[in-house]
Amino acid sequence: MSKIFPNLPVPDAAGIGLRSPHISDMISRRPSAGWLEVHAENYMGDSAAVDALENLRETYPLSVHGVGLSLGSASGLDRDHLERLRSVCIRFQPGLVSEHLAWSVADGAYLNDLLPLRYDDDALDIVAANVDQLQDRLQRRVFIENLSAYIAFANSTMTEAQFLAELVKRTGCGLLLDVNNVYVSACNLDFDAKAFIDNLPADAIGEIHLAGHAVNEVEGDIVLIDDHGSRVPPAVWSLYAHVLRKIGPRPTLIEWDTEVPALDVLLGEAMWADMMAASIGFEKRGAPQIAQQPDRRFHGIELPSTSNLARGAMPAISALTTITPSVFASNSVTRRARYAV
């Protein structure tokens, strides 16, 4: 019989990914964190980690993130894997469930990676059918995550953002916006990261991911690798600020999967995300009042334009959020898009 956990919706605050080096520390300290996210595939059996998650689930809201369902597979979903995912959801009663816009299974072979799709009507039919099956089986809305990309298919007929928007229309699914993935893809394939975000249906975005990435030089080109192995870089924070200004706060995860740091480092990144959201919320509430109520005591004195004060944000955060996110994209060596056929 499944355990009944407290009803803890995932809040519009920052959470962290639960990683094995931190489990004992999390159980003993119960530090302040908005929520936890786990990879579904790590909790599909019985283990000490599963027992630990049941313990932590008493305290923290939970998001379950799948990495192995292969929504882009033309042969359909693996029914056994789907049933295991369903069992995880029944057992832990998460507030959010998500998967990737990717494929990783072909002809019975499982590839240990999340591979991009060709974005056209045929692929959309396949993914929509798989998402319908997934949501029907789980009896809930599932959030689909955009990929980080290093190649683009020459015969795609739509962008990834257009593909995701159509997927939302067809299936009613939600979107998990990975801001780091947008930045990595934009730099590698030379497109406008903000335009990508602006073309997504804002109301469908129910979760956000933030992470670090590696910067590599390959034969004279700069290639960004989505390795989740470092702090969130300033350019990704800046793009996150753009998202907050456009759609407001959402549940936001700090992902860190390689070179996992001390728990307090991860919590510090989450705290920074919360501070940025609070700062921009303050900015959006306070800026019109400043503009509409000029202080007559300063008549004749030239004051800085409020538009140049990052619109009332906390100074340190406002400085960070004005960093140009396309710093690598503007480098000529990254302007060469990579195509596959």
Side-chain angles (χ1 to χ4, degrees):
M1 182 177 177
S2 297
K3 191 173 181 178
I4 303 299
F5 294 108
N7 182 20
L8 298 173
V10 177
D12 289 341
I16 61 173
L18 181 63
R19 302 295 176 255
S20 55
H22 301 150
I23 287 177
S24 61
D25 209 7
M26 288 292 299
I27 290 175
S28 61
R29 289 171 49 191
R30 307 277 170 167
S32 176
W35 49 285
L36 302 178
E37 184 172 279
V38 297
H39 288 170
E41 285 72 12
N42 292 334
Y43 296 88
M44 288 181 168
D46 291 316
S47 67
V50 170
D51 295 339
L53 182 58
E54 284 197 339
N55 185 321
L56 291 168
R57 179 66 182 83
E58 298 279 0
T59 303
Y60 297 97
L62 181 68
S63 172
V64 165
H65 189 46
V67 299
L69 205 50
S70 192
L71 291 176
S73 288
S75 56
L77 302 182
D78 182 317
R79 292 179 182 274
D80 292 338
H81 192 95
L82 178 56
E83 286 308 306
R84 288 191 289 270
L85 175 61
R86 179 172 174 268
S87 296
V88 169
C89 293
I90 291 172
R91 184 169 193 168
F92 294 104
Q93 302 155 42
L96 295 171
V97 178
S98 54
E99 249 291 354
H100 297 82
L101 181 63
W103 66 276
S104 55
V105 179
D107 296 330
Y110 183 83
L111 307 171
N112 190 27
D113 208 341
L114 298 168
L115 300 172
L117 309 173
R118 188 180 64 239
Y119 301 121
D120 61 13
D121 289 334
D122 291 340
L124 184 59
D125 289 342
I126 291 168
V127 176
N130 288 338
V131 170
D132 281 340
Q133 183 183 358
L134 171 62
Q135 293 188 134
D136 287 346
R137 191 63 188 135
L138 299 188
Q139 287 294 292
R140 63 185 303 153
R141 191 183 201 192
V142 175
F143 294 82
I144 308 302
E145 179 181 354
N146 57 292
L147 279 192
S148 57
Y150 311 96
I151 61 170
F153 288 89
N155 49 355
S156 286
T157 58
M158 62 185 87
T159 66
E160 185 184 16
Q162 292 169 333
F163 190 97
L164 286 165
E166 286 300 315
L167 187 64
V168 169
K169 286 182 184 176
R170 285 203 189 188
T171 68
C173 71
L175 298 179
L176 192 171
L177 172 58
D178 190 314
V179 177
N180 182 59
N181 284 357
V182 174
Y183 181 72
V184 167
S185 298
C187 292
N188 289 338
L189 304 181
D190 194 21
F191 64 77
D192 186 331
K194 289 183 178 178
F196 179 103
I197 291 167
D198 293 347
N199 283 324
L200 296 175
D203 291 344
I205 299 173
E207 185 179 341
I208 292 172
H209 278 183
L210 299 173
H213 55 254
V215 180
N216 297 314
E217 183 173 344
V218 180
E219 298 179 349
D221 279 0
I222 298 298
V223 178
L224 305 190
I225 305 295
D226 175 34
D227 68 347
H228 298 179
S230 57
R231 291 180 185 273
V232 179
V236 175
W237 283 122
S238 178
L239 195 56
Y240 178 53
H242 174 77
V243 174
L244 291 171
R245 291 191 178 100
K246 181 174 178 61
I247 71 172
R250 295 290 193 278
T252 298
L253 177 78
I254 303 297
E255 284 189 300
W256 205 317
D257 296 315
T258 62
E259 305 293 335
V260 176
L263 176 60
D264 286 342
V265 174
L266 202 56
L267 293 169
E269 294 283 280
M271 184 178 69
W272 188 250
D274 280 336
M275 289 174 62
M276 181 174 285
S279 174
I280 290 174
F282 173 78
E283 163 194 318
K284 293 175 73 172
R285 291 191 301 272
Q289 295 176 6
I290 294 172
Q292 292 169 8
Q293 298 175 9
D295 193 328
R296 296 180 182 279
R297 294 174 300 172
F298 300 113
H299 179 71
I301 299 176
E302 185 175 350
L303 296 174
S305 167
T306 53
S307 63
N308 293 330
L309 290 173
R311 296 173 292 281
M314 300 175 191
I317 296 177
S318 66
L320 183 60
T321 60
T322 57
I323 294 172
T324 303
S326 58
V327 57
F328 289 107
S330 64
N331 188 327
S332 60
V333 299
T334 68
R335 289 186 177 278
R336 192 179 67 188
R338 299 166 178 79
Y339 291 98
V341 295

